[in-house]
C-alpha cells in the first residue's frame, strides 16, 4: 500500500479567486497529455544508475489553464516521486511526495492536507487495456503480427481506471480515468468544492503513480523524448 504526503497552500489565487472557489462551479477539468523527459539519475539502485523522469502537464477548463503540474522522480526503481501544482501566477497550490513505495500492489492512500480525512484509491484488476492485450494474442497469427502490433500500440492510449472512496465512507467519488498518453477528463459529478479539490489532488497522485513507476526494463533511459 503506497501512501502519499500532500499539502495544499491556503490563499493561492487563480484569476482573483482561491483555487477551490475557481473550481467550485466546474463540472470537469482536463489533464492534458504530459510532456516528459527520461534521464539517467546520479543515484544508484543496486544494479547501476537509477532511471529518472521529469514532466509537465497542464490542467485546463476549456482553453483556460487553471494550473500546471510539474513532476519528477530521481529514482523510478524505488518509485520515488514528487509533484507540484502551480498556478499561472507562479503560486503553488499543492505538493505531493512519496519517498518510496512500501509494497507492490493496486491500492494507495491519500491523506487530506488539513488532516480532516483521507481517501483510499484502488485499481481494478481488469483494466480497459486488458482488451487490447487479448486482441493482440488473438490477432497475431491471422494478421501475421500486424493486428497485434496495432493492438499493443493502443495500450498506452487507454485510460487507467482508479476507484476512489473516502476512508470514512461519507462521500462518493466518481472513478478516475487517467491516460498515460493523451488528454484525461476528470468529471466531478455532484461533488462539492472540497470533493473536487480532493479529486484533483488524487488525480495528481495517480499521474505520478503512472509516470514515476519503475521502467519496464528497470534500466535508466537516456535523455529522451516525451511520453
Amino acid at each position: 500500500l503506497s501512501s502519499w504526503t500532500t499539502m495544499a497552500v491556503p490563499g493561492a489565487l487563480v484569476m482573483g479567486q482561491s483555487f477551490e472557489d475557481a473550481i467550485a462551479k466546474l463540472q470537469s477539468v482536463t489533464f492534458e497529455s504530459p510532456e516528459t523527459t527520461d534521464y539517467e539519475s546520479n543515484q544508484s539502485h543496486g544494479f547501476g544508475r537509477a532511471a529518472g523522469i521529469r514532466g509537465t502537464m497542464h490542467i485546463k477548463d476549456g482553453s483556460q489553464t487553471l494550473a500546471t503540474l510539474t513532476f519528477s522522480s530521481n529514482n523510478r526503481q524505488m518509485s520515488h516521486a514528487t509533484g507540484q501544482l502551480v498556478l499561472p501566477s507562479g503560486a503553488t497550490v499543492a505538493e505531493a511526495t512519496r519517498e518510496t513505495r512500501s509494497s507492490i500492489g493496486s491500492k494507495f492512500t491519500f491523506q487530506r492536507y488539513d488532516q480532516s480525512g483521507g481517501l483510499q484509491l484502488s485499481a481494478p484488476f481488469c483494466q480497459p487495456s486488458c482488451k487490447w492485450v487479448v486482441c493482440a494474442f488473438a490477432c497475431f497469427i491471422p494478421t501475421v503480427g500486424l493486428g497485434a502490433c496495432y493492438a499493443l500500440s493502443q495500450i498506452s492510449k487507454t485510460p487507467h481506471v482508479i476507484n476512489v472512496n473516502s476512508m470514512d465512507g461519507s462521500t462518493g467519488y466518481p472513478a478516475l480515468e487517467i491516460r498515460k498518453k493523451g488528454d484525461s477528463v476528470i468529471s466531478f459529478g455532484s461533488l462539492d468544492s472540497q470533493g473536487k479539490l480532493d479529486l484533483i489532488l488524487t488525480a495528481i497522485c495517480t499521474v505520478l503513480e503512472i509516470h514515476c513507476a519503475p521502467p519496464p526494463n528497470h534500466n535508466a533511459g537516456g535523455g529522451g523524448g516525451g511520453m
Side-chain angles (χ1 to χ4, degrees):
L1 191 69
S2 296
S3 293
W4 289 93
T5 300
T6 57
M7 178 185 73
V9 180
L13 302 180
V14 53
M15 301 295 288
Q17 307 176 76
S18 71
F19 184 75
E20 196 169 334
D21 289 340
I23 63 175
K25 295 182 180 180
L26 301 182
Q27 295 303 307
S28 64
V29 294
T30 299
F31 279 48
E32 289 195 335
S33 184
E35 297 178 359
T36 61
T37 301
D38 298 317
Y39 65 93
E40 186 177 272
S41 172
N42 58 7
Q43 292 194 9
S44 171
H45 68 91
F47 299 96
R49 295 289 188 181
I53 190 172
R54 63 176 67 93
T56 59
M57 172 183 276
H58 300 294
I59 301 173
K60 292 189 172 184
D61 169 31
S63 60
Q64 178 190 356
T65 298
L66 298 172
T68 299
L69 172 64
T70 61
F71 59 90
S72 65
S73 171
N74 59 13
N75 194 331
R76 291 176 63 191
Q77 280 80 1
M78 295 296 293
S79 292
H80 165 269
T82 182
Q84 289 187 323
L85 187 63
V86 182
L87 299 179
S89 65
T92 299
V93 176
E95 298 176 344
T97 60
R98 182 180 64 191
E99 291 304 317
T100 185
R101 192 172 189 172
S102 56
S103 64
I104 297 174
S106 60
K107 294 183 179 180
F108 55 101
T109 57
F110 159 72
Q111 182 66 42
R112 204 172 283 141
Y113 64 93
D114 59 3
Q115 303 300 310
S116 62
L119 307 177
Q120 182 164 302
L121 291 78
S122 60
F125 175 77
C126 187
Q127 291 284 329
S129 58
C130 291
K131 68 180 182 181
W132 290 111
V133 175
V134 173
C135 182
F137 279 105
C139 295
F140 185 80
I141 294 177
T143 64
V144 198
L146 295 178
C149 290
Y150 174 78
L152 293 174
S153 72
Q154 298 303 303
I155 291 177
S156 63
K157 300 177 184 178
T158 57
H160 189 73
V161 177
I162 297 290
N163 294 325
V164 184
N165 297 288
S166 58
M167 290 181 178
D168 59 8
S170 62
T171 306
Y173 292 84
L176 288 172
E177 295 188 1
I178 304 295
R179 288 174 167 80
K180 188 172 184 178
K181 293 182 179 179
D183 296 349
S184 303
V185 177
I186 308 301
S187 298
F188 296 131
S190 58
L191 292 174
D192 60 15
S193 57
Q194 175 64 67
K196 293 175 181 180
L197 182 58
D198 281 346
L199 206 61
I200 287 176
L201 295 180
T202 51
I204 289 171
C205 292
T206 304
V207 169
L208 269 62
E209 187 85 14
I210 293 171
H211 289 280
C212 298
N217 59 3
H218 277 225
N219 291 322
M227 284 181 150

